Amino acid sequence: MSRRIKHGFIYIFLIILCFFSLFPIMWMLVSATNTTVDILSGRLIPGTALLDNLSTVVNDYNLYGALWNSFRNASCLSLLSLIICSMAGYGFEIYRDRKKDIVMQIVLVGMMVPMISIVIPLYRMFSEVGMLNTMGACILPTISTPFLIFLFRQNSRSFPREIIQSARIDGLNEIQIFFRMYMPIMKPTYATALTITFMNAWNAYLWPNIVLLDNKEFTMPIMLAYLMTGYRMDYGAILLCVTCCTLPTIIIFLLLQKSFVNGVAGSVKG
């Protein structure tokens, strides 16, 4: 078999694979413009019901409020998580101490604890301090994760120690070294952590559904769940909400995909 024929089969296989991978997204976008009758009949071309579906989810289910709540929670959680976890990972790797490895092992044990097992203690704790139905209750339990600390620690192994020594000689304190030297050099790792944290926070359902009691505080996953529990489901409105819920994470990943790959490769190399 010649090389051209072999490459031709490979390209055909990749095209077919891409089609099956992208078809659900295409079907979601097209169905957001159709009515329930058109969707159930298997229509695969854009329709004219987009504005009607948008009116339904805006007036009946507070789409804009849910989008704002999801964006606010995900943004605040991502910002705080990146700062806290990067400081922890930096400290675990840069500062030498015999006991830090023991502490790191204890932190990594947290990766094996499922969220469902600590829901009841967390709920009682936030209930006693009066923080139910607040943004703080949504983001505080996941503001620091063992995975992100481990990611920053692994990537910090490639951070040049000479920079730290030179900065100390120039009179910079540890906080200035972290913000002025460490953070700019570790941009790929921050992009990786931002992508993972934002997507997890945006798609979070279990814990927000437990602590958020008011419809005005609902996020997109919770609103989607309520849309799908009615006696009569409007598939056009549901798929429009799914589209609005999916696009932000796709945009974030596309903007940061190059740095995301470099950050993951750096963690493996470290």
Side-chain angles (χ1 to χ4, degrees):
M1 182 181 295
S2 66
R3 181 174 297 181
R4 289 186 177 181
I5 298 176
K6 184 178 180 180
H7 287 176
F9 280 115
I10 293 176
Y11 289 140
I12 292 173
F13 173 75
L14 292 176
I15 291 172
I16 295 174
L17 188 63
C18 289
F19 173 78
F20 282 108
S21 299
L22 297 176
F23 178 78
I25 299 177
M26 183 196 71
W27 183 79
M28 174 188 70
L29 295 174
V30 169
S31 298
T33 66
N34 289 319
T35 63
T36 300
V37 175
D38 294 332
I39 295 171
L40 294 177
S41 64
R43 179 170 177 166
L44 296 178
I45 58 176
T48 58
L50 176 62
L51 295 179
D52 294 335
N53 295 333
L54 180 62
S55 176
T56 299
V57 294
V58 168
N59 297 328
D60 298 344
Y61 298 99
N62 191 23
L63 173 65
Y64 296 146
L67 281 172
W68 164 248
N69 292 335
S70 291
F71 181 77
R72 178 198 61 190
N73 294 354
S75 300
C76 293
L77 175 60
S78 299
L79 178 61
L80 294 174
S81 184
L82 289 185
I83 295 175
I84 293 173
C85 293
S86 62
M87 284 185 172
Y90 174 84
F92 273 118
E93 181 57 31
I94 300 301
Y95 302 114
R96 297 297 178 181
D97 188 271
R98 293 181 178 180
K99 298 180 181 179
K100 72 170 186 176
D101 292 333
I102 299 176
V103 177
M104 188 64 196
Q105 291 175 3
I106 297 174
V107 171
L108 292 178
V109 170
M111 296 178 65
M112 296 181 284
V113 179
M115 180 65 180
I116 190 66
S117 64
I118 59 174
V119 163
I120 295 177
L122 282 175
Y123 181 84
R124 293 192 60 182
M125 180 176 66
F126 282 105
S127 177
E128 290 177 0
V129 298
M131 290 186 63
L132 294 180
N133 201 44
T134 63
M135 181 184 69
C138 285
I139 68 175
L140 284 177
T142 54
I143 203 170
S144 177
T145 62
F147 174 77
L148 286 186
I149 295 175
F150 178 75
L151 176 69
F152 279 104
R153 185 201 179 191
Q154 290 298 102
N155 280 10
S156 295
R157 293 182 176 180
S158 61
F159 184 74
R161 301 299 194 276
E162 295 80 8
I163 294 179
I164 299 177
Q165 297 173 0
S166 300
R168 288 171 178 169
I169 293 174
D170 292 338
L172 271 67
N173 58 40
E174 301 303 316
I175 298 297
Q176 291 173 327
I177 293 173
F178 179 82
F179 283 102
R180 294 185 184 181
M181 304 296 180
Y182 179 80
M183 292 184 69
I185 294 177
M186 304 299 290
K187 283 182 180 180
T189 307
Y190 278 96
T192 302
L194 174 61
T195 304
I196 296 173
T197 306
F198 187 89
M199 292 178 67
N200 289 339
W202 185 273
N203 296 324
Y205 172 75
L206 175 62
W207 178 245
N209 191 37
I210 293 173
V211 296
L212 296 180
L213 311 176
D214 189 356
N215 294 348
K216 295 181 180 179
E217 295 294 329
F218 281 178
T219 57
M220 286 299 297
I222 300 176
M223 191 187 76
L224 275 172
Y226 274 83
L227 270 171
M228 299 178 65
T229 55
Y231 291 102
R232 178 181 176 275
M233 289 190 291
D234 189 341
Y235 288 104
I238 291 174
L239 287 166
L240 178 60
C241 284
V242 172
T243 302
C244 295
C245 189
T246 305
L247 287 179
T249 55
I250 293 177
I251 293 172
I252 289 292
F253 181 78
L254 291 178
L255 291 175
L256 301 176
Q257 60 176 335
K258 184 177 180 180
S259 298
F260 177 85
V261 173
N262 292 335
V264 172
S267 66
V268 174
K269 183 179 180 181

